[in-house]
Amino acid sequence: MLGNGIIETTTTTGTGDLTTAAVTGRPRFTDKFTANATEASASHFYYAILTNDATPQFIESGIGYMSATGTLKRAVVLSTYASSVYTDVGATAVSLAAGAKNVICTGECGSAYGLAMPGQDNSLSALRYAYS
């Protein structure tokens, strides 16, 4: 699903769930996507993590959802850029270092090819299959 204009920040470290914070004047993930207790009942969306500086650099993209506690769960990591290496096959969550990062809701190029489109199987298992 697409949530235009959504941007939040995170200072989460490591590879786990992201605790996000609002950016003034911008919509939040929970404005568009309902927080759910289980992955199966959640609304999934594409996300990207970027550095929070004058020239934002890509860190990670994937498919996530909002947990019941309001954290962003990184359900499927699609691509990463860490230590000057881009990975989009078998990507795993980047271990985030200390410091603020931007987390945005993005479209995924796969949706232009019929993935995650209305009227189709948009379940996480279908999305995982499409990217395996």
Side-chain angles (χ1 to χ4, degrees):
M1 296 184 111
L2 188 58
N4 291 324
I6 294 174
I7 183 169
E8 298 191 32
T9 61
T10 186
T11 55
T12 300
T13 58
T15 60
D17 303 344
L18 303 178
T19 300
T20 60
V23 171
T24 302
R26 300 302 293 264
R28 300 197 67 183
F29 284 98
T30 53
D31 292 337
K32 170 72 176 167
F33 306 105
T34 305
N36 286 294
T38 65
E39 184 174 3
S41 62
S43 295
H44 293 85
F45 51 83
Y46 295 101
Y47 71 88
I49 304 170
L50 309 168
T51 59
N52 185 2
D53 51 28
T55 56
Q57 301 296 311
F58 170 75
I59 298 171
E60 175 182 307
S61 70
I63 301 168
Y65 67 96
M66 299 307 292
S67 73
T69 59
T71 60
L72 191 155
K73 304 283 257 180
R74 297 149 103 175
V76 178
V77 176
L78 299 174
S79 61
T80 61
Y81 187 72
S83 302
S84 299
V85 176
Y86 179 82
T87 303
D88 64 356
V89 175
T92 59
V94 171
S95 183
L96 299 173
K101 315 289 183 299
N102 288 327
V103 185
I104 63 173
C105 188
T106 84
E108 171 57 37
C109 64
S111 61
Y113 298 102
L115 301 174
M117 298 297 284
Q120 295 187 13
D121 184 356
N122 294 327
S123 67
L124 187 59
S125 60
L127 292 171
R128 280 191 172 133
Y129 175 77
Y131 288 100
S132 61

